[in-house]
Amino acid sequence: MDSINSLPPLAKTWLLDGPLAAHVEAYTANLEQGSYSRQSSRSHIDALAHFAHWMARCTLVASQLDQDCVNQFLNFHLPRCDCHSMALRSHDQLRAGLGLLLEVLREERVIAEVLPPAGPIADELRRYDAHMRNARGLAVGTRKDRLYRVGQFLRWKFADRAFTGKDMLVEDLRAFITKELERVNSTSHAQSLAASFRAYFRYRLTCGDEVRGLLGAISTPAQWTLASLPRALTAGEVQRLMTHCEQTVSSRWRLLSMVRLALDLGLRSGEIAKLELSDIDWRNGTVKLRQTKSMRQDILPLPTATGEALAEYLRHERPTTTIKTIFFRLKAPHDQPIGVDAIRAFIGRALRCAGIVHGRSHSLRHTLACRIVNGGGSIKDVADMLRHRSLNTSVIYAKLDQHSLVEVALPWPGSAA
């Protein structure tokens, strides 16, 4: 309530005497529960006051609110706002504050929950998602990406008529892909489109649709197998990264734990984000990985340095919370698991601060693989450690096996034997 008491009298009137007055207490309780900072709480309350004033002018009540109302306020009222000068006008702060308002109103059952998309296309995408999950065992990220691209095509093709798998034509597919490549003309985008549509039309083939012509129309940009090299860190770069992590003032052990889990165990960002306290077996020195990309459970040894970093983080830096995951949000709302993008951002920022501009979080996984092959390990060792389902995925690391390559390298023509 401190944020409300600090409001100017006019804004306090907008809030406490307006159409949102009955929900202010629940809103502020949500801010307190999420441990929002004083500054963030104040901006959210300011957003609520400005929006309440606009609602009063439009004679709206809380039960009429939805995302369209918020969009109307942000996109039409805000650019030409003539409210008192003390009203909050930051688009980003208003959007954040009003997004929380809709969540609070849904929790109080004042407005309805957001219903999932309905209609033939939405039903088709749900069936395809179930197929990818149950029959193909694909990870959430892969399914989400493919559903997005297939959904774009279906909504473009069947925008004004009913969906039917038999009505998809080669000309439609080519026109859509051409339009997409005009928007983003890159090899990676073309490859992603080709992979998404090829997988979808194979699914339609199992449903009885004759789509072989569509499959034949999908061409993939040339990408020679094993043509590129994994971007691994050198020993000097690893040392610079570790030095930066150890010298970090804020949340040093938290950052060091994330980096070591990726560098010493080869964990993906998603696996780090999902790691729970119960997954660490301190007595036996192991880490249990559940919900991995390969849809199986793995147990890995916990290196001493990684275990020490985790222990220091858990003892000295990790706040008290009911969250089961080892890492969770440090910004409001706090009591929520951390996301994959946040893990990538933390590690990526550490790499840049260490002067490693070409690195990203996945580079640490490549670094572990290169360390194994250059230390005398086999490709099978790499596949086991990185948990690849196929040895073909790990073969590329043979190109970085410096000792073996030296033995088979031929002398340069004209040089001394």
Side-chain angles (χ1 to χ4, degrees):
M1 296 297 290
D2 291 341
S3 299
I4 297 177
N5 294 330
S6 63
L7 288 174
L10 182 58
K12 190 182 296 186
T13 300
W14 290 351
L15 193 59
L16 299 181
D17 295 338
L20 294 177
H23 310 288
V24 171
E25 184 177 351
Y27 189 87
T28 56
N30 198 295
L31 293 175
E32 293 174 1
Q33 184 178 1
S35 300
Y36 284 73
S37 67
R38 179 174 298 181
Q39 182 178 357
S40 295
S41 297
R42 175 59 191 269
S43 70
H44 277 60
I45 294 296
D46 286 342
L48 201 64
H50 189 178
F51 188 64
H53 177 56
W54 174 79
M55 287 177 61
R57 292 173 59 178
C58 298
T59 64
L60 289 171
V61 296
S63 59
Q64 295 176 299
L65 296 181
D66 55 18
Q67 188 62 52
D68 289 337
C69 290
V70 171
N71 293 340
Q72 184 178 353
F73 172 79
L74 295 174
N75 299 330
F76 296 99
H77 168 72
L78 194 58
R80 55 183 68 90
C81 175
D82 59 353
C83 300
H84 193 278
S85 59
M86 59 83 192
L88 180 68
R89 286 178 169 79
S90 168
H91 186 281
D92 290 342
Q93 291 178 331
L94 285 165
R95 182 179 59 185
L98 299 182
L100 180 61
L101 171 64
L102 294 181
E103 291 180 14
V104 170
L105 294 179
R106 291 189 187 107
E107 289 174 1
E108 292 190 310
R109 301 184 183 278
V110 176
I111 60 176
E113 293 286 344
V114 178
L115 297 176
I121 292 178
D123 293 339
E124 167 68 2
L125 293 176
R126 276 191 282 271
R127 288 191 295 268
Y128 181 45
D129 186 38
H131 168 79
M132 289 191 291
R133 182 184 64 250
N134 301 329
R136 301 292 309 282
L138 297 181
V140 174
T142 304
R143 299 193 335 250
K144 185 177 180 180
D145 182 66
R146 291 186 179 179
L147 286 172
Y148 173 73
R149 301 191 188 286
V150 172
Q152 277 186 310
F153 171 67
L154 295 181
R155 284 186 284 270
W156 174 79
K157 165 66 178 173
F158 301 101
D160 54 355
R161 56 198 181 94
F163 165 78
T164 171
K166 298 180 181 179
D167 287 347
M168 291 182 283
L169 305 176
V170 171
E171 294 78 11
D172 298 325
L173 180 61
R174 285 175 174 163
F176 179 80
I177 292 178
T178 300
K179 180 177 72 72
E180 275 297 297
L181 292 181
E182 288 175 351
R183 184 178 65 86
V184 181
N185 188 11
S186 68
T187 302
S188 60
H189 187 52
Q191 290 172 342
S192 179
L193 288 170
S196 297
F197 288 125
R198 188 175 290 113
Y200 174 65
F201 290 126
R202 284 172 179 162
Y203 159 71
R204 291 307 313 173
L205 201 61
T206 66
C207 296
D209 292 337
E210 187 51 56
V211 292
R212 289 184 176 84
L214 289 164
L215 282 167
I218 301 173
S219 59
T220 304
Q223 183 181 25
W224 309 117
T225 303
L226 308 179
S228 60
L229 287 175
R231 305 207 72 169
L233 274 58
T234 64
E237 289 172 335
V238 170
Q239 184 57 49
R240 294 210 314 268
L241 174 62
M242 302 311 295
T243 300
H244 166 74
C245 293
E246 291 168 357
Q247 294 176 349
T248 299
V249 177
S250 176
S251 302
R252 176 181 60 170
W253 293 110
R254 184 173 188 257
L255 175 60
L256 195 59
S257 297
M258 292 179 182
V259 169
R260 284 213 166 273
L261 285 168
L263 183 63
D264 298 341
L265 290 172
L267 299 197
R268 303 175 179 92
S269 297
E271 293 167 347
I272 296 175
K274 294 175 183 175
L275 205 59
E276 297 184 359
L277 294 170
S278 59
D279 294 332
I280 309 295
D281 186 341
W282 298 101
R283 184 178 299 277
N284 296 314
T286 59
V287 179
K288 182 189 298 181
L289 297 181
R290 296 173 289 183
Q291 304 174 9
T292 64
K293 185 177 180 180
S294 56
M295 305 297 288
R296 64 188 184 191
Q297 178 175 295
D298 296 297
I299 296 179
L300 300 177
L302 179 64
T304 302
T306 309
E308 289 176 351
L310 280 169
E312 291 296 320
Y313 163 66
L314 294 174
R315 279 201 299 255
H316 303 300
E317 289 184 358
R318 188 177 187 270
T320 302
T321 180
T322 57
I323 297 296
K324 295 181 180 179
T325 54
I326 292 178
F327 305 105
F328 54 92
R329 290 175 58 95
L330 291 183
K331 293 184 178 180
H334 293 275
D335 288 334
Q336 292 186 15
I338 199 169
V340 177
D341 291 339
I343 298 288
R344 291 172 180 161
F346 287 137
I347 297 178
R349 191 180 304 116
L351 288 165
R352 291 191 298 273
C353 291
I356 308 169
V357 295
H358 64 82
R360 56 192 183 96
S361 60
H362 215 67
S363 301
L364 305 185
R365 188 171 159 86
H366 292 320
T367 303
L368 173 63
C370 295
R371 186 188 298 165
I372 293 173
V373 295
N374 288 319
S378 66
I379 296 302
K380 179 64 166 60
D381 295 331
V382 174
D384 290 342
M385 192 64 191
L386 299 188
R387 289 154 285 114
H388 288 155
R389 287 191 288 185
S390 170
L391 279 177
N392 293 333
T393 309
S394 309
V395 165
I396 193 169
Y397 294 107
K399 298 174 69 173
L400 299 178
D401 188 351
Q402 300 171 359
H403 301 300
S404 300
L405 290 175
V406 166
E407 294 177 3
V408 299
L410 296 174
W412 187 259
S415 64

